Amino acid sequence: MTRPPATERLFTPSFIALGVAELCYFTAGGVAIFGLPLYVTGPVGGDEAAAGLAFGAFALSALVLRPVAGRLADRYGRRPLLLAGALLAAASLALIGVADDFAVIVALRLLAGVAEAAFFVAGFAALADLAPPARLGEALSYNSLGLYLGVALGPPLGEVLVRTSGFGLAWAGAAALAVAAAGLALLVGETRAGGPSDDGERHLIHRPALPITLGFLASLVAMGGFLAFASLYAVRVGVANASLVLLVYGGVVVVCRLAFARVPDRLPPLALGAAALGTIALGLVLAASWPSPAGLLLGAVVTAVGVSFSTPAFFSAIFATASPSQRGVASGTASAAIDLGLGIGPILLGLVADPFGIRWALAVGAAVALAGAVWTLLLRRRSTVAASPATPATPAE
């Protein structure tokens, strides 16, 4: 049954069920964030470049399929893609636990990319359906807690499971969480109002969002590289518990999203996005230039503060360019940046880390974030100049 359009009430049962489903899904992903680099460089016998490739391989399939998933979400609804994505993720995680060949692991990560495309795109489209328009930034802040709580809780959970009974138990636990996400998706129901898009939209890419998406991409390249090598770098600089850095990172994002949930609705999204990118760059510079437990933890905190505002800012700007019937396509376009960032980031920084070390890789990530900040400020300036005195600025400004 199709649910009625969202009212001014934000915390509906469907909104809560969606958030908890995403918490389960991304906690499973958090287990992989911790375990995959160590699994590849340990039992599988690969090097740092192999770890980066395995970590980011899912982005190759996800990048291709996110725009398709967005179109399917607009045409057939959000719930089928939520269910399919969660179940495919469960299969990928479970099978990694019995794989010891690097090529097989890469293939399973490509399957994880299919899952990511379906679940993530449908999740953001459902969120835009459920949120009151005036509270979209706030809804994005709260909804993204599932992602960052998963990043915060998944690595320590993975570490406990690995220490308890090895990597097999960690992958099995992650798969169980993905199955739970599929069950919760049933409680969300179908959020798309009405039938398929009838406005003639046939594109897989939401073109008005592309310039904004480039700024978002820069934040994700930097963040993806940091996440891929945080546990390895923590071991190198002497952090006693390798998962602590990711726990602190995820915890700071969660606190900021709760404490400042309404900020994205009160500030121009592009200005906020540029400031977030500059903060991410500063955090990575701190981690790279101060190779110690204190320096890495401080860098993780500052990076997390920037990340906490980047996603709500850029998604608010992107959804401001889309009509309700285009939300799936807009979500697919925006989230394709996530595939590129979380795919290119680890691979690019892995290629730098292998010959030069992780410190230089983090410095490259900081440069990418700084370039993104400059680009986003230029977009902000252009949109401000384009707005005439008699015409109010659009929400993306």
Side-chain angles (χ1 to χ4, degrees), residues 5 23 43 60 93 111 135 175-177 224 229 237 254 268 270 274 285 293-294 311-312 374:
L23 173 61
L60 298 177
L93 290 162
L111 178 63
R135 301 180 69 179
L177 285 167
F229 293 101
V237 301
V254 168
L270 291 180
V285 167
T311 300
V374 173

Side-chain angles (χ1 to χ4, degrees), residues 68-149:
V68 177
R71 181 64 184 154
L72 292 175
D74 284 338
R75 184 164 184 80
Y76 299 109
R78 324 309 190 197
R79 182 169 57 178
L81 275 74
L82 286 171
L83 285 170
L87 293 175
L88 284 175
S92 171
L93 290 162
L95 291 172
I96 286 177
V98 297
D100 57 6
D101 181 79
F102 178 69
V104 173
I105 291 173
V106 171
L108 291 172
R109 290 292 288 169
L110 291 172
L111 178 63
V114 179
E116 182 82 0
F119 188 89
F120 200 97
V121 169
F124 267 105
L127 172 67
D129 294 337
L130 293 167
R135 301 180 69 179
L136 179 58
E138 181 184 0
L140 285 162
S141 293
Y142 287 132
N143 177 264
S144 63
L145 291 177
L147 171 59
Y148 291 102
L149 277 172

Side-chain angles (χ1 to χ4, degrees), residues 56 58-60 62-64 66 113 116-117 335-344:
F58 81 98
L60 298 177
L63 175 63
V64 172
R66 277 200 205 255
E116 182 82 0
S335 58
I338 297 174
D339 300 318
L340 282 171
L342 297 184
I344 292 175

Side-chain angles (χ1 to χ4, degrees), residues 79-365:
R79 182 169 57 178
L81 275 74
L82 286 171
L83 285 170
L87 293 175
L88 284 175
S92 171
L93 290 162
L95 291 172
I96 286 177
V98 297
D100 57 6
D101 181 79
F102 178 69
V104 173
I105 291 173
V106 171
L108 291 172
R109 290 292 288 169
L110 291 172
L111 178 63
V114 179
E116 182 82 0
F119 188 89
F120 200 97
V121 169
F124 267 105
L127 172 67
D129 294 337
L130 293 167
R135 301 180 69 179
L136 179 58
E138 181 184 0
L140 285 162
S141 293
Y142 287 132
N143 177 264
S144 63
L145 291 177
L147 171 59
Y148 291 102
L149 277 172
V151 172
L153 299 177
L157 174 62
E159 188 170 25
V160 168
L161 294 175
V162 169
R163 289 184 176 181
T164 299
S165 188
F167 284 102
L169 180 61
W171 296 122
L177 285 167
V179 171
L184 286 161
L186 293 173
L187 300 179
V188 175
E190 181 51 62
T191 63
R192 186 196 61 188
S197 171
D198 57 1
D199 62 356
E201 175 68 55
R202 292 294 183 269
H203 299 296
L204 294 178
I205 301 297
H206 187 60
R207 295 176 185 174
L210 289 178
I212 302 169
T213 302
L214 288 176
F216 188 36
L217 172 63
S219 72
L220 291 156
V221 168
M223 181 181 74
F226 175 78
L227 292 177
F229 293 101
S231 57
L232 288 175
Y233 193 46
V235 172
R236 303 284 171 82
V237 301
V239 178
N241 295 312
S243 65
L244 177 62
V245 176
L246 292 171
L247 175 63
V248 169
Y249 168 88
V252 169
V253 173
V254 168
V255 170
C256 288
R257 291 280 169 87
L258 287 172
F260 305 108
R262 298 186 179 183
V263 169
D265 291 322
R266 296 176 177 175
L267 295 177
L270 291 180
L272 182 60
L277 280 162
T279 305
I280 291 169
L282 176 60
L284 294 179
V285 167
L286 285 170
S289 61
W290 189 3
S292 68
L296 177 54
L297 289 170
L298 179 60
V301 168
V302 176
T303 300
V305 171
V307 169
S308 68
F309 293 105
S310 63
T311 300
F314 283 109
F315 264 89
S316 292
I318 288 166
F319 278 126
T321 69
S323 67
S325 63
Q326 297 171 330
R327 286 170 179 162
V329 174
S331 177
T333 301
S335 58
I338 297 174
D339 300 318
L340 282 171
L342 297 184
I344 292 175
I347 294 171
L348 172 64
L349 270 62
L351 293 174
V352 174
D354 194 36
F356 300 110
I358 296 176
R359 292 176 63 189
W360 279 103
L362 295 177
V364 170

